[in-house]
Amino acid sequence: MKSLIDILDFSVEEIDELIYLANDIIDNPKKYSEICKGKKLANLFFEPSTRTRLSFEAAMYELGGNVIGFSEAASSSVSKGESVADTTKVISCYADIIVIRHPKEGAAYVAANNTSVPVINAGDGGHCHPTQTLADLLTIYREKGRLKDLTIGFCGDLKYGRTVHSLINALTRYDNINMVFISPKELKVPNYIKKDLLENKDVSYEETTKLEEVIPKLDILYMTRIQKERFLNAEDYLRLKDSYVLTLEKLNGAKSDMSIMHPLPRVNEISVSVDKDSRACYFKQVLNGKYIRMALIIKLLKESMNFNFDFIGYVDPNTMVNIMKDNKRIRNLNTERHKRLTNLIKCNNPRCITSTEQELEHIFELRDKEDEIYRCIYCEAKGNR
Ligand code: NCD
């Protein structure tokens, strides 16, 4: 059964297809208003959310389907000690598709391994947030008319910001994307992304602490919040929380058509006065999020729906893809290699789902043969023997 855990679970063609479908939904909403009649979506939110949870709800209602679920762990049996695996098995008896957000990295992957219905990762700790990435890609496409030849600046908390991690992953597969990472030294993009992904795929990137110096060259500025809830030390958060505040004054040096994006919620990183600037597109991004989630639900449920897709296989001529980079992430759980490693290394990441779910087997995959780098199959932390 198809799930979306990591954005690399989908090929570029599949993402193109979703963008095409979302645009068709925007133009012809009536055509889709009954398509999920009789279907149920379960929203399992173990962490706070406004946009993601409500946009999935709105998306399912606008497709004619129903929604069940909970919005905090305290109101589910998890508060009694139930595992993610058991909760998922139970919910899949009631729902046709599951959306899960959880504070532990790898939780959505555990859910997908324990059910026969499609699972959508709505954020697993500081790891990934692939549906926000779909909303971001649709926004970039609608604003710029292309997903290639772009210089994109990521600014803020690039260490814990899961939306940033997923968007970087997605963009590595398009041609001529230059990434500029703007963050305090303590909140840089994790090495597993820089080394395993960007350097291996020859994607150009630079790192800086100074937004003003790089803003003139950006086509897109992706602002993010400093992720308070991921800090183990409150003082560090207080020191870093206002590292970047985008104001109209700072925008003076930017291109007149630079798009300003933000996954929201904003805390203080974009001054409210910027909202009126024609370059601000973060509220359009929210709306795009609903439409792309409608497309995603249709895609994942299509096997069990009575609906004919005449545009399967559609590839947008504007998204020139470097085929060499278009590798999907294949996780292979049961190879001998993985089993042997299980006895040798354990995941030590305190944020990984294996830290709380004791019965989970620790499994690693070999990411870099030359340097013998193994990464946890749930959270991607490096495994040390
Ligand atoms: C993001 C998230 O939850 O990671 N929000 C969202 O889903 N749009 C960003 C954030 O919380 O900073």
Side-chain angles (χ1 to χ4, degrees), residues 50-51 132 155 163 222-229 237 241-242 244-248 251 260-277 280-283 285-286:
T50 305
R51 272 150 298 276
Q132 180 63 45
C155 180
T163 64
Y222 193 93
M223 294 296 295
T224 62
R225 168 181 77 89
I226 307 292
Q227 306 279 301
K228 182 179 181 186
E229 67 277 30
Y237 170 71
K241 75 181 173 63
D242 290 325
Y244 301 97
V245 181
L246 186 66
T247 56
L248 282 173
L251 279 172
I260 307 164
M261 297 174 64
H262 191 310
L264 302 180
R266 98 176 119 186
V267 181
N268 193 32
E269 345 33 87
I270 303 181
S271 141
V272 174
S273 58
V274 173
D275 297 1
K276 292 193 283 297
D277 192 287
C281 49
Y282 26 94
F283 291 111
Q285 213 176 331
V286 174

Side-chain angles (χ1 to χ4, degrees), residues 26 86 89 95 154-155 163 200 213 237 305 325 346 378:
I26 293 170
D86 281 2
K89 279 183 195 148
F154 294 87
C155 180
T163 64
N200 271 355
E213 277 181 14
Y237 170 71
M305 285 192 328
K325 292 180 185 169
K346 293 260 175 260
Y378 301 104

